[in-house]
Amino acid sequence: MASIGGCNGALPKGARVLVREGEGMPQQLSYELYLKAKEQLAAGGLKPDYAVEQDMELRMKGVLPHTPLDSLQLAKLGQLGYDFVMQVNLLGKREANGYNYVSAHERQAYGDSYQLAGDVTQVTLQFLLYDPQRQEQIYTLNTVTKIEPLTRTDSEGGEKRTNYASVEMALQKAIRKGTEKLLQDCRCCL
């Protein structure tokens, strides 16, 4: 994980957080990730809303979906009573092949840590937090979640590597740990 910006104490209990639809992912997946993050945000004492569910109200006030959050859009969100705006974007994903075999010769030539591209399921998410009152982005967190294969050495010294973890499984894990990190970094007291 790599976080940029400091927002210590920025998320007081009871703060209203608008969660925007994520970029780089289908709408259904964005909604599923919102539901997962919503549980954690609410457990942290925050009041999350999903922008898609608030679409009509937002449009009536001039806040359009899928537009960059500039100072005007943030000011309008502040007028609507939102204390913070959060967005989670999918920056990259890679799904494992399911099964790979590394021979004893390859292990000896390249070392025991030799990995094939298809061994690991990996997801990269970006968490952004905006403050409508200050009309600026106050926090960025990039998180990479990897699910490694199960490895079994055969009688000849080769390795059988099995990884059937899906991208969706990695996304669920990434949203959980990314939201935990955001709450940890942006709360004075948990």
Side-chain angles (χ1 to χ4, degrees):
M1 292 187 183
S3 55
I4 303 166
C7 58
N8 291 339
L11 290 172
K13 285 192 183 236
R16 241 178 118 195
V17 180
L18 180 69
V19 181
R20 288 182 48 136
E21 190 172 33
E23 295 178 3
M25 66 185 87
Q27 292 175 340
Q28 179 63 30
L29 182 56
S30 179
Y31 182 67
E32 289 174 22
L33 294 179
Y34 160 71
L35 292 176
K36 186 76 172 167
K38 177 183 176 180
E39 292 174 21
Q40 290 176 270
L41 294 172
L46 304 174
K47 298 177 182 175
D49 288 322
Y50 192 46
V52 175
E53 294 173 345
Q54 308 300 319
D55 187 61
M56 183 62 76
E57 179 186 358
L58 295 173
R59 284 179 186 270
M60 288 175 33
K61 299 296 182 181
V63 179
L64 302 175
H66 308 294
T67 57
L69 282 176
D70 58 15
S71 59
L72 179 62
Q73 296 285 310
L74 287 169
K76 289 177 183 180
L77 289 168
Q79 292 169 357
L80 288 169
Y82 290 104
D83 300 304
F84 298 93
V85 179
M86 180 176 139
Q87 184 166 340
V88 180
N89 300 319
L90 177 62
L91 298 182
K93 63 182 179 178
R94 182 176 68 215
E95 195 152 14
N97 292 338
Y99 177 81
N100 281 320
Y101 182 78
V102 179
S103 69
H105 182 291
E106 290 172 315
R107 286 182 65 208
Q108 188 176 34
Y110 300 110
D112 284 335
S113 61
Y114 176 65
Q115 277 195 332
L116 299 170
D119 280 349
V120 178
T121 296
Q122 180 174 317
V123 169
T124 304
L125 290 181
Q126 178 184 56
F127 289 75
L128 303 172
L129 189 66
Y130 298 87
D131 183 340
Q133 306 309 317
R134 292 173 28 194
Q135 298 176 4
E136 64 184 7
Q137 181 181 329
I138 61 169
Y139 183 77
T140 301
L141 169 69
N142 291 338
T143 177
V144 177
T145 299
K146 295 180 181 181
I147 300 178
E148 301 284 338
L150 298 173
T151 304
R152 191 177 64 181
T153 305
D154 64 16
S155 61
E156 298 168 6
E159 283 185 348
K160 297 176 182 178
R161 299 175 179 177
T162 308
N163 189 346
Y164 293 109
S166 65
V167 166
E168 289 76 17
M169 183 185 298
L171 279 167
Q172 294 293 327
K173 187 175 180 181
I175 195 76
R176 180 187 49 77
K177 72 179 192 175
T179 304
E180 282 176 9
K181 177 75 170 147
L182 181 139
L183 287 171
Q184 178 185 22
D185 288 351
C186 295
R187 297 292 297 273
C188 65
C189 315
L190 286 178

